[in-house]
Amino acid sequence: MRKDIHPENYRLVAFKDMSNDDVFITKSTANTKETLEVDGVEYPLVKLEISRSSHPFYTGKSKLIDTAGRIDKFKNKYAKFKK
């Protein structure tokens, strides 16, 4: 194995799914300024929009998230092209 090609800053990091507040801890080199306390231990925190606990492929549930009315904006924009 070649030397000095792998990062040296592996550490335990807490990843938090913001859609369902699920937290899991794994090793990572991700940079972050926020921290989270889990079971009395403080970990660097990385926030995720979606993870294995909320993704429709893994949960088997389909969920439509319409942020800022994107579907309505699309329909209004292209309604003038209807015949």
PDB file of all heavy atoms in Angstrom, residues 1-31:
ATOM      1  N   MET A   1       0.845  -1.181   0.000  1.00  0.00           N
ATOM      2  CA  MET A   1       0.000   0.000   0.000  1.00  0.00           C
ATOM      3  C   MET A   1       0.887   1.239   0.000  1.00  0.00           C
ATOM      4  O   MET A   1       1.888   1.300   0.704  1.00  0.00           O
ATOM      5  CB  MET A   1      -0.921  -0.015   1.223  1.00  0.00           C
ATOM      6  CG  MET A   1      -1.960   1.056   1.169  1.00  0.00           C
ATOM      7  SD  MET A   1      -3.384   0.788   2.227  1.00  0.00           S
ATOM      8  CE  MET A   1      -2.715   1.000   3.844  1.00  0.00           C
ATOM      9  N   ARG A   2       0.501   2.239  -0.790  1.00  0.00           N
ATOM     10  CA  ARG A   2       1.285   3.476  -0.856  1.00  0.00           C
ATOM     11  C   ARG A   2       1.091   4.298   0.409  1.00  0.00           C
ATOM     12  O   ARG A   2       0.010   4.322   0.994  1.00  0.00           O
ATOM     13  CB  ARG A   2       0.876   4.301  -2.061  1.00  0.00           C
ATOM     14  CG  ARG A   2       1.204   3.613  -3.360  1.00  0.00           C
ATOM     15  CD  ARG A   2       1.012   4.471  -4.558  1.00  0.00           C
ATOM     16  NE  ARG A   2      -0.248   5.215  -4.538  1.00  0.00           N
ATOM     17  CZ  ARG A   2      -0.637   6.038  -5.489  1.00  0.00           C
ATOM     18  NH1 ARG A   2       0.116   6.201  -6.552  1.00  0.00           N
ATOM     19  NH2 ARG A   2      -1.760   6.683  -5.405  1.00  0.00           N
ATOM     20  N   LYS A   3       2.131   4.968   0.798  1.00  0.00           N
ATOM     21  CA  LYS A   3       2.089   5.795   2.007  1.00  0.00           C
ATOM     22  C   LYS A   3       1.630   7.210   1.670  1.00  0.00           C
ATOM     23  O   LYS A   3       1.806   7.681   0.551  1.00  0.00           O
ATOM     24  CB  LYS A   3       3.469   5.850   2.658  1.00  0.00           C
ATOM     25  CG  LYS A   3       3.925   4.522   3.198  1.00  0.00           C
ATOM     26  CD  LYS A   3       5.258   4.660   3.883  1.00  0.00           C
ATOM     27  CE  LYS A   3       5.705   3.299   4.406  1.00  0.00           C
ATOM     28  NZ  LYS A   3       6.943   3.399   5.156  1.00  0.00           N
ATOM     29  N   ASP A   4       1.045   7.877   2.676  1.00  0.00           N
ATOM     30  CA  ASP A   4       0.676   9.295   2.615  1.00  0.00           C
ATOM     31  C   ASP A   4      -0.359   9.626   1.536  1.00  0.00           C
ATOM     32  O   ASP A   4      -0.357  10.731   0.995  1.00  0.00           O
ATOM     33  CB  ASP A   4       1.925  10.161   2.424  1.00  0.00           C
ATOM     34  CG  ASP A   4       2.930   9.979   3.533  1.00  0.00           C
ATOM     35  OD1 ASP A   4       2.498   9.742   4.676  1.00  0.00           O
ATOM     36  OD2 ASP A   4       4.140  10.055   3.262  1.00  0.00           O
ATOM     37  N   ILE A   5      -1.251   8.701   1.205  1.00  0.00           N
ATOM     38  CA  ILE A   5      -2.306   9.032   0.246  1.00  0.00           C
ATOM     39  C   ILE A   5      -3.682   9.074   0.910  1.00  0.00           C
ATOM     40  O   ILE A   5      -4.639   9.546   0.314  1.00  0.00           O
ATOM     41  CB  ILE A   5      -2.337   8.049  -0.945  1.00  0.00           C
ATOM     42  CG1 ILE A   5      -2.637   6.633  -0.487  1.00  0.00           C
ATOM     43  CG2 ILE A   5      -1.062   8.131  -1.748  1.00  0.00           C
ATOM     44  CD1 ILE A   5      -2.953   5.690  -1.625  1.00  0.00           C
ATOM     45  N   HIS A   6      -3.797   8.578   2.115  1.00  0.00           N
ATOM     46  CA  HIS A   6      -5.081   8.550   2.806  1.00  0.00           C
ATOM     47  C   HIS A   6      -5.152   9.670   3.835  1.00  0.00           C
ATOM     48  O   HIS A   6      -4.159  10.017   4.461  1.00  0.00           O
ATOM     49  CB  HIS A   6      -5.285   7.207   3.501  1.00  0.00           C
ATOM     50  CG  HIS A   6      -5.287   6.057   2.530  1.00  0.00           C
ATOM     51  ND1 HIS A   6      -6.329   5.834   1.674  1.00  0.00           N
ATOM     52  CD2 HIS A   6      -4.367   5.102   2.280  1.00  0.00           C
ATOM     53  CE1 HIS A   6      -6.053   4.778   0.930  1.00  0.00           C
ATOM     54  NE2 HIS A   6      -4.867   4.315   1.272  1.00  0.00           N
ATOM     55  N   PRO A   7      -6.356  10.257   4.045  1.00  0.00           N
ATOM     56  CA  PRO A   7      -6.493  11.331   5.034  1.00  0.00           C
ATOM     57  C   PRO A   7      -6.196  10.834   6.446  1.00  0.00           C
ATOM     58  O   PRO A   7      -6.479   9.692   6.786  1.00  0.00           O
ATOM     59  CB  PRO A   7      -7.940  11.781   4.917  1.00  0.00           C
ATOM     60  CG  PRO A   7      -8.619  10.809   4.044  1.00  0.00           C
ATOM     61  CD  PRO A   7      -7.609   9.962   3.376  1.00  0.00           C
ATOM     62  N   GLU A   8      -5.655  11.725   7.243  1.00  0.00           N
ATOM     63  CA  GLU A   8      -5.272  11.394   8.617  1.00  0.00           C
ATOM     64  C   GLU A   8      -6.353  11.767   9.635  1.00  0.00           C
ATOM     65  O   GLU A   8      -6.276  11.376  10.779  1.00  0.00           O
ATOM     66  CB  GLU A   8      -3.976  12.125   8.993  1.00  0.00           C
ATOM     67  CG  GLU A   8      -2.778  11.729   8.149  1.00  0.00           C
ATOM     68  CD  GLU A   8      -2.297  10.329   8.444  1.00  0.00           C
ATOM     69  OE1 GLU A   8      -2.463   9.867   9.588  1.00  0.00           O
ATOM     70  OE2 GLU A   8      -1.773   9.691   7.513  1.00  0.00           O
ATOM     71  N   ASN A   9      -7.345  12.551   9.217  1.00  0.00           N
ATOM     72  CA  ASN A   9      -8.299  13.110  10.181  1.00  0.00           C
ATOM     73  C   ASN A   9      -9.606  12.327  10.284  1.00  0.00           C
ATOM     74  O   ASN A   9     -10.671  12.902  10.446  1.00  0.00           O
ATOM     75  CB  ASN A   9      -8.581  14.577   9.855  1.00  0.00           C
ATOM     76  CG  ASN A   9      -9.198  14.767   8.485  1.00  0.00           C
ATOM     77  OD1 ASN A   9      -9.133  13.891   7.645  1.00  0.00           O
ATOM     78  ND2 ASN A   9      -9.786  15.923   8.258  1.00  0.00           N
ATOM     79  N   TYR A  10      -9.567  11.002  10.186  1.00  0.00           N
ATOM     80  CA  TYR A  10     -10.767  10.203  10.431  1.00  0.00           C
ATOM     81  C   TYR A  10     -11.158  10.324  11.898  1.00  0.00           C
ATOM     82  O   TYR A  10     -10.309  10.251  12.782  1.00  0.00           O
ATOM     83  CB  TYR A  10     -10.523   8.717  10.125  1.00  0.00           C
ATOM     84  CG  TYR A  10     -10.619   8.382   8.668  1.00  0.00           C
ATOM     85  CD1 TYR A  10      -9.506   7.974   7.965  1.00  0.00           C
ATOM     86  CD2 TYR A  10     -11.835   8.455   8.002  1.00  0.00           C
ATOM     87  CE1 TYR A  10      -9.586   7.664   6.626  1.00  0.00           C
ATOM     88  CE2 TYR A  10     -11.927   8.137   6.665  1.00  0.00           C
ATOM     89  CZ  TYR A  10     -10.802   7.744   5.983  1.00  0.00           C
ATOM     90  OH  TYR A  10     -10.888   7.430   4.664  1.00  0.00           O
ATOM     91  N   ARG A  11     -12.442  10.545  12.134  1.00  0.00           N
ATOM     92  CA  ARG A  11     -12.949  10.649  13.501  1.00  0.00           C
ATOM     93  C   ARG A  11     -14.424  10.265  13.482  1.00  0.00           C
ATOM     94  O   ARG A  11     -15.037  10.189  12.427  1.00  0.00           O
ATOM     95  CB  ARG A  11     -12.760  12.056  14.034  1.00  0.00           C
ATOM     96  CG  ARG A  11     -13.643  13.080  13.349  1.00  0.00           C
ATOM     97  CD  ARG A  11     -13.070  14.473  13.432  1.00  0.00           C
ATOM     98  NE  ARG A  11     -13.938  15.488  12.900  1.00  0.00           N
ATOM     99  CZ  ARG A  11     -14.199  15.708  11.624  1.00  0.00           C
ATOM    100  NH1 ARG A  11     -13.712  14.929  10.711  1.00  0.00           N
ATOM    101  NH2 ARG A  11     -14.987  16.684  11.249  1.00  0.00           N
ATOM    102  N   LEU A  12     -14.986  10.016  14.653  1.00  0.00           N
ATOM    103  CA  LEU A  12     -16.409   9.711  14.748  1.00  0.00           C
ATOM    104  C   LEU A  12     -17.211  10.995  14.538  1.00  0.00           C
ATOM    105  O   LEU A  12     -16.907  12.029  15.146  1.00  0.00           O
ATOM    106  CB  LEU A  12     -16.744   9.089  16.088  1.00  0.00           C
ATOM    107  CG  LEU A  12     -16.230   7.671  16.297  1.00  0.00           C
ATOM    108  CD1 LEU A  12     -16.519   7.207  17.718  1.00  0.00           C
ATOM    109  CD2 LEU A  12     -16.853   6.719  15.295  1.00  0.00           C
ATOM    110  N   VAL A  13     -18.221  10.927  13.676  1.00  0.00           N
ATOM    111  CA  VAL A  13     -19.047  12.081  13.344  1.00  0.00           C
ATOM    112  C   VAL A  13     -20.506  11.652  13.436  1.00  0.00           C
ATOM    113  O   VAL A  13     -20.867  10.545  13.029  1.00  0.00           O
ATOM    114  CB  VAL A  13     -18.740  12.587  11.914  1.00  0.00           C
ATOM    115  CG1 VAL A  13     -19.653  13.724  11.523  1.00  0.00           C
ATOM    116  CG2 VAL A  13     -17.293  13.023  11.800  1.00  0.00           C
ATOM    117  N   ALA A  14     -21.363  12.533  13.960  1.00  0.00           N
ATOM    118  CA  ALA A  14     -22.805  12.284  14.026  1.00  0.00           C
ATOM    119  C   ALA A  14     -23.454  12.873  12.779  1.00  0.00           C
ATOM    120  O   ALA A  14     -23.252  14.039  12.453  1.00  0.00           O
ATOM    121  CB  ALA A  14     -23.397  12.917  15.276  1.00  0.00           C
ATOM    122  N   PHE A  15     -24.230  12.050  12.066  1.00  0.00           N
ATOM    123  CA  PHE A  15     -24.999  12.493  10.918  1.00  0.00           C
ATOM    124  C   PHE A  15     -26.461  12.517  11.333  1.00  0.00           C
ATOM    125  O   PHE A  15     -26.973  11.530  11.866  1.00  0.00           O
ATOM    126  CB  PHE A  15     -24.811  11.534   9.739  1.00  0.00           C
ATOM    127  CG  PHE A  15     -23.461  11.636   9.101  1.00  0.00           C
ATOM    128  CD1 PHE A  15     -22.395  10.896   9.577  1.00  0.00           C
ATOM    129  CD2 PHE A  15     -23.261  12.474   8.025  1.00  0.00           C
ATOM    130  CE1 PHE A  15     -21.147  10.987   9.004  1.00  0.00           C
ATOM    131  CE2 PHE A  15     -22.013  12.564   7.431  1.00  0.00           C
ATOM    132  CZ  PHE A  15     -20.947  11.827   7.922  1.00  0.00           C
ATOM    133  N   LYS A  16     -27.142  13.649  11.100  1.00  0.00           N
ATOM    134  CA  LYS A  16     -28.541  13.804  11.515  1.00  0.00           C
ATOM    135  C   LYS A  16     -29.418  14.047  10.294  1.00  0.00           C
ATOM    136  O   LYS A  16     -29.186  14.978   9.533  1.00  0.00           O
ATOM    137  CB  LYS A  16     -28.677  14.969  12.491  1.00  0.00           C
ATOM    138  CG  LYS A  16     -30.084  15.158  13.015  1.00  0.00           C
ATOM    139  CD  LYS A  16     -30.148  16.230  14.061  1.00  0.00           C
ATOM    140  CE  LYS A  16     -31.551  16.362  14.618  1.00  0.00           C
ATOM    141  NZ  LYS A  16     -31.630  17.409  15.630  1.00  0.00           N
ATOM    142  N   ASP A  17     -30.412  13.187  10.118  1.00  0.00           N
ATOM    143  CA  ASP A  17     -31.398  13.344   9.057  1.00  0.00           C
ATOM    144  C   ASP A  17     -32.406  14.387   9.532  1.00  0.00           C
ATOM    145  O   ASP A  17     -33.124  14.167  10.506  1.00  0.00           O
ATOM    146  CB  ASP A  17     -32.082  12.007   8.792  1.00  0.00           C
ATOM    147  CG  ASP A  17     -33.020  12.057   7.604  1.00  0.00           C
ATOM    148  OD1 ASP A  17     -33.484  13.153   7.252  1.00  0.00           O
ATOM    149  OD2 ASP A  17     -33.276  10.981   7.032  1.00  0.00           O
ATOM    150  N   MET A  18     -32.471  15.514   8.866  1.00  0.00           N
ATOM    151  CA  MET A  18     -33.320  16.612   9.316  1.00  0.00           C
ATOM    152  C   MET A  18     -34.804  16.363   9.031  1.00  0.00           C
ATOM    153  O   MET A  18     -35.652  17.008   9.631  1.00  0.00           O
ATOM    154  CB  MET A  18     -32.880  17.926   8.649  1.00  0.00           C
ATOM    155  CG  MET A  18     -31.442  18.310   8.984  1.00  0.00           C
ATOM    156  SD  MET A  18     -31.076  18.302  10.737  1.00  0.00           S
ATOM    157  CE  MET A  18     -31.981  19.736  11.261  1.00  0.00           C
ATOM    158  N   SER A  19     -35.139  15.402   8.164  1.00  0.00           N
ATOM    159  CA  SER A  19     -36.543  15.156   7.869  1.00  0.00           C
ATOM    160  C   SER A  19     -37.225  14.310   8.937  1.00  0.00           C
ATOM    161  O   SER A  19     -38.433  14.386   9.108  1.00  0.00           O
ATOM    162  CB  SER A  19     -36.699  14.487   6.502  1.00  0.00           C
ATOM    163  OG  SER A  19     -36.104  13.210   6.507  1.00  0.00           O
ATOM    164  N   ASN A  20     -36.457  13.488   9.677  1.00  0.00           N
ATOM    165  CA  ASN A  20     -37.082  12.675  10.719  1.00  0.00           C
ATOM    166  C   ASN A  20     -36.259  12.612  12.008  1.00  0.00           C
ATOM    167  O   ASN A  20     -36.548  11.827  12.886  1.00  0.00           O
ATOM    168  CB  ASN A  20     -37.347  11.259  10.199  1.00  0.00           C
ATOM    169  CG  ASN A  20     -36.073  10.518   9.849  1.00  0.00           C
ATOM    170  OD1 ASN A  20     -34.972  11.024  10.004  1.00  0.00           O
ATOM    171  ND2 ASN A  20     -36.218   9.312   9.366  1.00  0.00           N
ATOM    172  N   ASP A  21     -35.236  13.425  12.130  1.00  0.00           N
ATOM    173  CA  ASP A  21     -34.393  13.543  13.332  1.00  0.00           C
ATOM    174  C   ASP A  21     -33.670  12.253  13.711  1.00  0.00           C
ATOM    175  O   ASP A  21     -33.315  12.065  14.864  1.00  0.00           O
ATOM    176  CB  ASP A  21     -35.200  14.056  14.527  1.00  0.00           C
ATOM    177  CG  ASP A  21     -35.651  15.501  14.330  1.00  0.00           C
ATOM    178  OD1 ASP A  21     -34.916  16.246  13.652  1.00  0.00           O
ATOM    179  OD2 ASP A  21     -36.697  15.878  14.852  1.00  0.00           O
ATOM    180  N   ASP A  22     -33.440  11.370  12.755  1.00  0.00           N
ATOM    181  CA  ASP A  22     -32.657  10.166  12.993  1.00  0.00           C
ATOM    182  C   ASP A  22     -31.177  10.537  13.043  1.00  0.00           C
ATOM    183  O   ASP A  22     -30.703  11.333  12.231  1.00  0.00           O
ATOM    184  CB  ASP A  22     -32.906   9.145  11.882  1.00  0.00           C
ATOM    185  CG  ASP A  22     -32.181   7.845  12.122  1.00  0.00           C
ATOM    186  OD1 ASP A  22     -32.183   7.374  13.272  1.00  0.00           O
ATOM    187  OD2 ASP A  22     -31.616   7.292  11.164  1.00  0.00           O
ATOM    188  N   VAL A  23     -30.436   9.990  14.005  1.00  0.00           N
ATOM    189  CA  VAL A  23     -29.012  10.272  14.156  1.00  0.00           C
ATOM    190  C   VAL A  23     -28.243   8.965  14.104  1.00  0.00           C
ATOM    191  O   VAL A  23     -28.626   7.991  14.745  1.00  0.00           O
ATOM    192  CB  VAL A  23     -28.722  10.991  15.503  1.00  0.00           C
ATOM    193  CG1 VAL A  23     -27.236  11.206  15.692  1.00  0.00           C
ATOM    194  CG2 VAL A  23     -29.472  12.305  15.572  1.00  0.00           C
ATOM    195  N   PHE A  24     -27.171   8.949  13.303  1.00  0.00           N
ATOM    196  CA  PHE A  24     -26.276   7.801  13.311  1.00  0.00           C
ATOM    197  C   PHE A  24     -24.840   8.289  13.346  1.00  0.00           C
ATOM    198  O   PHE A  24     -24.529   9.384  12.903  1.00  0.00           O
ATOM    199  CB  PHE A  24     -26.533   6.850  12.133  1.00  0.00           C
ATOM    200  CG  PHE A  24     -26.354   7.464  10.772  1.00  0.00           C
ATOM    201  CD1 PHE A  24     -25.150   7.350  10.103  1.00  0.00           C
ATOM    202  CD2 PHE A  24     -27.393   8.130  10.158  1.00  0.00           C
ATOM    203  CE1 PHE A  24     -24.980   7.893   8.841  1.00  0.00           C
ATOM    204  CE2 PHE A  24     -27.236   8.679   8.903  1.00  0.00           C
ATOM    205  CZ  PHE A  24     -26.022   8.563   8.247  1.00  0.00           C
ATOM    206  N   ILE A  25     -23.978   7.485  13.919  1.00  0.00           N
ATOM    207  CA  ILE A  25     -22.580   7.864  14.139  1.00  0.00           C
ATOM    208  C   ILE A  25     -21.687   6.921  13.343  1.00  0.00           C
ATOM    209  O   ILE A  25     -21.853   5.702  13.396  1.00  0.00           O
ATOM    210  CB  ILE A  25     -22.233   7.817  15.633  1.00  0.00           C
ATOM    211  CG1 ILE A  25     -23.116   8.815  16.382  1.00  0.00           C
ATOM    212  CG2 ILE A  25     -20.757   8.124  15.854  1.00  0.00           C
ATOM    213  CD1 ILE A  25     -23.048   8.708  17.870  1.00  0.00           C
ATOM    214  N   THR A  26     -20.766   7.508  12.604  1.00  0.00           N
ATOM    215  CA  THR A  26     -19.813   6.729  11.825  1.00  0.00           C
ATOM    216  C   THR A  26     -18.530   7.533  11.662  1.00  0.00           C
ATOM    217  O   THR A  26     -18.496   8.723  11.976  1.00  0.00           O
ATOM    218  CB  THR A  26     -20.405   6.348  10.449  1.00  0.00           C
ATOM    219  OG1 THR A  26     -19.520   5.461   9.788  1.00  0.00           O
ATOM    220  CG2 THR A  26     -20.626   7.566   9.594  1.00  0.00           C
ATOM    221  N   LYS A  27     -17.487   6.897  11.189  1.00  0.00           N
ATOM    222  CA  LYS A  27     -16.233   7.610  10.961  1.00  0.00           C
ATOM    223  C   LYS A  27     -16.311   8.393   9.669  1.00  0.00           C
ATOM    224  O   LYS A  27     -16.865   7.931   8.679  1.00  0.00           O
ATOM    225  CB  LYS A  27     -15.064   6.636  10.908  1.00  0.00           C
ATOM    226  CG  LYS A  27     -14.666   6.106  12.256  1.00  0.00           C
ATOM    227  CD  LYS A  27     -13.364   5.362  12.152  1.00  0.00           C
ATOM    228  CE  LYS A  27     -12.852   5.049  13.542  1.00  0.00           C
ATOM    229  NZ  LYS A  27     -11.533   4.439  13.492  1.00  0.00           N
ATOM    230  N   SER A  28     -15.737   9.598   9.684  1.00  0.00           N
ATOM    231  CA  SER A  28     -15.771  10.459   8.516  1.00  0.00           C
ATOM    232  C   SER A  28     -14.662  11.495   8.600  1.00  0.00           C
ATOM    233  O   SER A  28     -14.105  11.744   9.666  1.00  0.00           O
ATOM    234  CB  SER A  28     -17.124  11.153   8.424  1.00  0.00           C
ATOM    235  OG  SER A  28     -17.148  12.042   7.330  1.00  0.00           O
ATOM    236  N   THR A  29     -14.391  12.130   7.461  1.00  0.00           N
ATOM    237  CA  THR A  29     -13.455  13.252   7.420  1.00  0.00           C
ATOM    238  C   THR A  29     -14.186  14.550   7.109  1.00  0.00           C
ATOM    239  O   THR A  29     -13.552  15.570   6.858  1.00  0.00           O
ATOM    240  CB  THR A  29     -12.367  13.029   6.350  1.00  0.00           C
ATOM    241  OG1 THR A  29     -12.997  12.914   5.073  1.00  0.00           O
ATOM    242  CG2 THR A  29     -11.547  11.800   6.647  1.00  0.00           C
ATOM    243  N   ALA A  30     -15.527  14.529   7.119  1.00  0.00           N
ATOM    244  CA  ALA A  30     -16.332  15.704   6.785  1.00  0.00           C
ATOM    245  C   ALA A  30     -16.045  16.850   7.753  1.00  0.00           C
ATOM    246  O   ALA A  30     -15.986  16.657   8.964  1.00  0.00           O
ATOM    247  CB  ALA A  30     -17.810  15.351   6.822  1.00  0.00           C
ATOM    248  N   ASN A  31     -15.883  18.047   7.188  1.00  0.00           N
ATOM    249  CA  ASN A  31     -15.631  19.235   8.008  1.00  0.00           C
ATOM    250  C   ASN A  31     -16.957  19.832   8.458  1.00  0.00           C
ATOM    251  O   ASN A  31     -17.903  19.931   7.673  1.00  0.00           O
ATOM    252  CB  ASN A  31     -14.859  20.282   7.204  1.00  0.00           C
ATOM    253  CG  ASN A  31     -13.454  19.825   6.907  1.00  0.00           C
ATOM    254  OD1 ASN A  31     -12.845  19.118   7.689  1.00  0.00           O
ATOM    255  ND2 ASN A  31     -12.940  20.213   5.761  1.00  0.00           N
TER     256      ASN A  31
END
